[in-house]
Amino acid sequence: MAVDPQKELTKLHGALGVSQAVIKSTFFEWRQTALELLGPSSNALDVVLKFWEVAGVDVAKNFFPMLNLRKGQEGLILDLARALAGTGIANGAVVRVEKGEGPLEALIRWERCPWPTFAKRYGASMKEDLLGCDKFLQTIVAEANAFLGTDLKIETQKAIPSGDGVCLRRLYK
């Protein structure tokens, strides 16, 4: 029986979408469980920020083998920006990286992101969604800085959870 490549790719694409949805649902189910176990005096933002800090430390370790200074600071910034964009793409976002105005900056633009939709579905605030994402990305950058001895920074200039049409983050030195 012949294999239909288009049919196989369509099945894989569908399975990827389901997997991405399961990841986001599992996060919010974990969040609900943690808050219920911690009790009514727990602060959802504190719990979520700690989660994203722990996740950021772990994800950063996967980036270390691809980050080096041999390409110079400009190449390093673009490589790290691409890696950060990849975390969004892996979760179903549409993200692209652009060179910034200066040689030591890159812009990471989320044109579509599914996380705010899931946050709404599970009753999490947009503030929590935005600050969680910021914490995740800032932690990865901090870990990369510690690993490489650099002083890179990331800042959010626009955010979908704040009502902007995109999330725009500037990675720079």
Side-chain angles (χ1 to χ4, degrees), residues 35-115:
L35 293 174
E36 287 178 14
L37 289 173
L38 291 169
S41 64
S42 63
N43 181 319
L45 183 58
D46 290 343
V47 171
V48 166
L49 291 180
K50 185 60 180 177
F51 169 87
W52 286 116
E53 178 184 1
V54 170
V57 168
D58 188 54
V59 169
K61 292 174 188 172
N62 294 306
F63 293 167
F64 293 163
M66 69 180 92
L67 299 176
N68 63 64
L69 294 170
R70 283 182 279 151
K71 296 180 182 179
Q73 292 283 324
E74 186 175 354
L76 171 65
I77 289 171
L78 285 172
D79 283 350
L80 182 55
R82 288 182 192 112
L84 294 171
T87 65
I89 293 166
N91 279 282
V94 175
V95 189
R96 62 187 167 106
V97 173
E98 307 164 358
K99 287 189 174 191
E101 291 181 20
L104 297 180
E105 74 176 4
L107 299 175
I108 311 164
R109 182 182 308 271
W110 280 253
E111 295 176 349
R112 189 181 75 224
C113 182
W115 282 93

Side-chain angles (χ1 to χ4, degrees), residues 118-144:
F118 277 80
K120 285 180 190 174
R121 182 184 303 167
Y122 286 92
S125 72
M126 289 298 102
K127 177 182 178 183
E128 184 182 308
D129 182 61
L130 172 59
L131 295 179
C133 188
D134 284 348
K135 183 63 154 180
F136 178 65
L137 298 171
Q138 290 164 359
T139 300
I140 293 170
V141 171
E143 292 294 307

